[in-house]
Amino acid sequence: MTATPSSASAALPDFMRRDRAWHPPAFAPGYKTTVLRSPKCALLSLDQGPGEKTGPVFQASMLHELDNDLVSNYAAATGSKGLAIGERIIVHGRVTDECGRPVPRTLLEVWQANAGGRYRHKKDTYLAPLDPNFGGCGRTMTDENGRYFFRTVKPGAYPWPNHGSDWRPAHIHFSVFGEAFAQRLISQLYFEGDPLIPLCPIVNTIKDAAAIERLVAKLDMGEQRPFDALVYRFDIVLRGRQQTFFENKREGM
Amino acid sequence: MPVEYLKETPSQTAGPYVHIGTLPSHAGLPVRQNETLNVVEAPGEKIVVEGIVLDGSGAPVKDAMLELYQANAKGEVGDATIWARAGAVFETGEWRFDTIRPGALEWRGGKMQAPHLTLLIFARGINIHLHTRMYFPEDEAAQASDPALNRIEQIHRRRTLVAEKVKDGHYRFVIRLQGDQETVFFDM
Ligand SMILES: [Fe+2]
């Protein structure tokens, strides 16, 4: 094959390896659905090429101005003037990599149940009612310094079938891209002080208490919006890039 | 004490309702109805890639969400990167991408890779997304020197990454999470 090397992307620095013992294992039988959905063979460890060290770039222009306001965006999109019911909160924080560098202009997507613990989804049949003014879908982009925020209502706890009726702590699902596909991450944010956190089989797929703590948003009273909204702080860390000590080193030297 | 770095935020399952935030119209929300994230608009030969994710009992994973990342027709990423996203059909578990045939992408040290699609799989019961690749059945010669395929020690498992040709420009890729033909998943 004689294709011409296309770009400088092959020379991009590598990402540090993912610490798989820090993340939850694929097979975690306390969360029963993992039993048939976890690969049994070891993952194949491989260096990263340009296809792993680059990723999709999203433009801020694709965002609607209410995309980061779950209190009003569903009502506005469906022609209502209402607001979502529930405890008004703002979630804010920074996205950095493992070296502490901010991750600018990266897409953050969020989804959650309403204040009663019900998702607006074809497959959710929980008896708590839908809120006509809440969709539970939002997104935003970090700024130059990796900062982000969105406004929503605090989601309710909800039951799910696992060991009979288990209960999920209040949580917001989030998805973040970073600057390369190697940094791709989907996870969940919990709330400080929720007694359901230590009881949750999904939370407990994570073995290290310090890792669980990293998913708990902290009440930020200094940033509260008086007579309006409580504020939670939640920082996100993506894989870090190694430094390139020998940028011009050729293979074999 | 070794140098300390921040630790990556740990993963959690995307859950059964991942579509609300990633493919809202698929979830049934009357918003962003015009989004067709599984269709790629880019110069090149149009191809269809359809498939299914099967669990360890052979049952379809009906709530899966997949992301596609690939080189453009000239084998470039970076600004030329192609990305797409598809949700499995809730009734059957079938998913589909309408994309273009990727060119051969560079590897490290000037080596080349065989044309391939990178796929990430998210679903309920998957605690951290699974990362695999789909290669094309026509590219046997290029695959013989592909750096990723060559790292798979069990030679028969390499086949799990090669799609089946349904007809010209139309491929089927079955991803098996467990079993005799378990798909190869990467940690890159
Ligand atoms: Fe959830």
Side-chain angles (χ1 to χ4, degrees), chain A:
Chain A
M1 193 178 305
T2 56
T4 315
S6 55
S7 63
S9 45
L12 288 169
D14 290 327
F15 286 89
M16 299 181 193
R17 297 228 64 94
R18 205 159 228 160
D19 181 353
R20 295 271 169 181
W22 173 259
H23 287 284
F27 177 74
Y31 174 20
K32 292 182 180 179
T33 314
T34 69
V35 172
L36 285 176
R37 294 186 173 192
S38 45
K40 292 289 174 274
C41 297
L43 300 178
L44 183 68
S45 291
L46 201 62
D47 285 335
Q48 299 139 17
E52 290 72 41
K53 294 192 278 187
T54 58
V57 177
F58 298 98
Q59 302 301 327
S61 58
M62 78 178 203
L63 298 180
H64 184 275
E65 60 175 336
L66 293 179
D67 274 358
N68 70 341
D69 185 13
L70 287 75
V71 171
S72 69
N73 65 11
Y74 187 76
T78 54
S80 153
K81 290 219 160 45
L83 296 173
I85 291 173
E87 187 180 328
R88 296 160 65 85
I89 61 169
I90 291 168
V91 178
H92 78 115
R94 270 184 97 205
V95 182
T96 64
D97 74 8
E98 291 166 297
C99 307
R101 299 185 193 104
V103 181
R105 290 172 295 281
T106 192
L107 182 65
L108 177 70
E109 298 167 302
V110 297
W111 64 99
Q112 63 169 87
N114 68 21
R118 173 78 182 270
Y119 283 98
R120 187 175 286 280
H121 188 286
K122 280 178 184 172
K123 306 302 272 185
D124 190 5
T125 55
Y126 180 37
L127 56 80
L130 287 169
D131 175 348
N133 293 317
F134 189 73
C137 168
R139 54 186 180 176
T140 187
M141 209 168 267
T142 57
D143 69 12
E144 282 65 46
N145 301 312
R147 300 201 61 89
Y148 77 89
F149 73 92
F150 60 91
R151 185 171 74 158
T152 187
V153 293
K154 194 170 177 187
Y158 62 82
W160 60 295
N162 189 54
H163 301 93
S165 175
D166 285 332
W167 289 81
R168 296 300 327 276
H171 62 279
I172 299 176
H173 297 264
F174 64 93
S175 149
V176 57
F177 282 84
E179 295 169 304
F181 229 37
Q183 290 179 307
R184 188 82 181 86
L185 181 73
I186 287 185
S187 191
Q188 304 182 28
L189 166 171
Y190 304 99
F191 293 90
E192 184 179 10
D194 188 334
L196 290 170
I197 294 173
L199 305 181
C200 175
I202 290 178
V203 170
N204 288 327
T205 60
I206 300 175
K207 299 286 175 261
D208 189 328
I212 292 172
E213 193 57 26
R214 294 285 309 285
L215 295 178
V216 180
K218 303 293 187 287
L219 183 65
D220 184 352
M221 286 309 280
E223 287 292 338
Q224 66 152 312
R225 304 288 114 163
F227 306 104
D228 180 349
L230 283 172
V231 173
Y232 284 86
R233 166 97 189 204
F234 187 70
D235 293 332
I236 297 169
V237 178
L238 303 180
R239 287 170 74 180
R241 280 189 201 273
Q242 293 189 322
Q243 297 194 44
T244 47
F245 294 122
F246 298 99
E247 293 196 27
N248 298 317
K249 180 173 177 289
R250 301 192 74 89
E251 200 172 43
M253 274 180 72

Side-chain angles (χ1 to χ4, degrees), chain B residues 39-52:
Chain B
V39 177
V40 169
E41 300 293 346
E45 180 198 338
K46 288 191 187 308
I47 59 168
V48 172
V49 176
E50 54 154 57
I52 195 164

Side-chain angles (χ1 to χ4, degrees), chain B residues 120-142:
Chain B
L120 302 186
I121 301 142
F122 302 88
R124 177 172 66 98
I126 294 181
N127 287 330
I128 178 164
H129 59 275
L130 297 169
H131 173 176
T132 190
R133 287 179 165 197
M134 189 203 97
Y135 290 82
F136 295 86
E138 300 87 340
D139 297 334
E140 265 183 60

Side-chain angles (χ1 to χ4, degrees), chain B residues 172-184:
Chain B
R172 182 166 178 83
F173 188 53
V174 179
I175 297 169
R176 293 177 175 85
L177 300 182
Q178 293 176 3
D180 291 347
Q181 301 177 75
E182 181 179 310
T183 301
V184 173

Side-chain angles (χ1 to χ4, degrees), chain B residues 9 17 48 50 79 118 149 162 166 175 182:
Chain B
T9 299
Y17 307 126
V48 172
E50 54 154 57
D79 292 342
T118 289
L149 290 173
V162 181
V166 178
I175 297 169
E182 181 179 310

Side-chain angles (χ1 to χ4, degrees), chain B residues 2 6 9 12 21 23 36 52 76 92 99 105 112 115 126 134 179:
Chain B
L6 300 174
T9 299
Q12 291 267 264
L23 296 163
T36 49
I52 195 164
E76 299 164 330
T92 62
T99 182
L105 175 63
M112 295 302 295
I126 294 181
M134 189 203 97

